[in-house]
Amino acid sequence: MPYINVKLNVKESDELREKIVHIVLENTINILNKRKEVTSVFVEFVSQKSWSIGGKNSTTFYLDIKITKGTNTKEQKANYIKKCYKDFQELLGEITPASYIVIDEVDSDSWGFEGLTQEYRYIQSKIL
């Protein structure tokens, strides 16, 4: 049940938004093995003037994904970061190396959906 927040400092377009959603959904499903039907993606475009890297305005993005702690390996997370960065680079062209992807691992008792924590869902799945 990932929640993904993507911020970019490029010109907003519906076509670009759709491509970004596609990239993060595909990588989240195929690399992190998450379920599409409970993956939420928020894409936000900001002015390039409002975002500086090292005091300069450069094309950049920030991707923050929240997942349940302990559900993915270090290798999966590393592959996710590598693939998302590569895909964004192909989509946006030249981007600053200081374009960040953050994987936040949240304790299962600290978040959920449909009013139920992830820990509760896990416990319920183990009851015979």
Side-chain angles (χ1 to χ4, degrees):
M1 64 161 255
Y3 172 76
I4 304 164
N5 185 347
V6 181
K7 293 184 182 189
L8 310 100
N9 69 344
V10 297
K11 186 177 180 191
E12 183 173 356
S13 80
D14 291 338
E15 180 183 352
L16 183 56
R17 180 180 288 107
E18 288 176 18
K19 288 178 180 180
I20 291 164
V21 169
H22 177 77
I23 285 171
V24 296
L25 271 178
E26 289 300 307
N27 289 335
T28 302
I29 293 163
N30 296 323
I31 299 171
L32 298 179
N33 300 314
K34 303 303 182 190
R35 293 176 28 217
K36 181 178 183 176
E37 63 273 12
V38 291
T39 300
S40 178
V41 181
F42 176 73
V43 179
E44 181 178 15
F45 293 89
V46 299
S47 164
Q48 193 166 41
K49 294 185 290 185
S50 66
W51 196 336
S52 69
I53 307 287
K56 297 179 184 178
N57 296 107
S58 304
T59 301
T60 190
F61 73 92
Y62 168 73
L63 185 157
D64 179 40
I65 178 171
K66 296 186 182 337
I67 61 172
T68 304
K69 187 175 184 177
T71 59
N72 290 101
T73 66
K74 287 182 180 186
E75 183 177 317
Q76 287 172 316
K77 292 182 282 186
N79 288 338
Y80 184 81
I81 290 170
K82 183 177 182 177
K83 182 74 164 77
C84 284
Y85 184 87
K86 180 180 178 272
D87 289 347
F88 273 76
Q89 194 171 40
E90 289 175 5
L91 180 64
L92 301 174
E94 186 178 335
I95 57 175
T96 179
S99 297
Y100 294 101
I101 299 164
V102 178
I103 299 174
D104 291 319
E105 291 191 282
V106 182
D107 287 330
S108 62
D109 65 346
S110 296
W111 82 318
F113 65 97
E114 200 176 12
L116 302 173
T117 67
Q118 291 300 84
E119 181 175 27
Y120 179 84
R121 290 175 193 285
Y122 174 78
I123 292 168
Q124 285 300 107
S125 74
K126 298 301 177 189
I127 296 175
L128 298 177

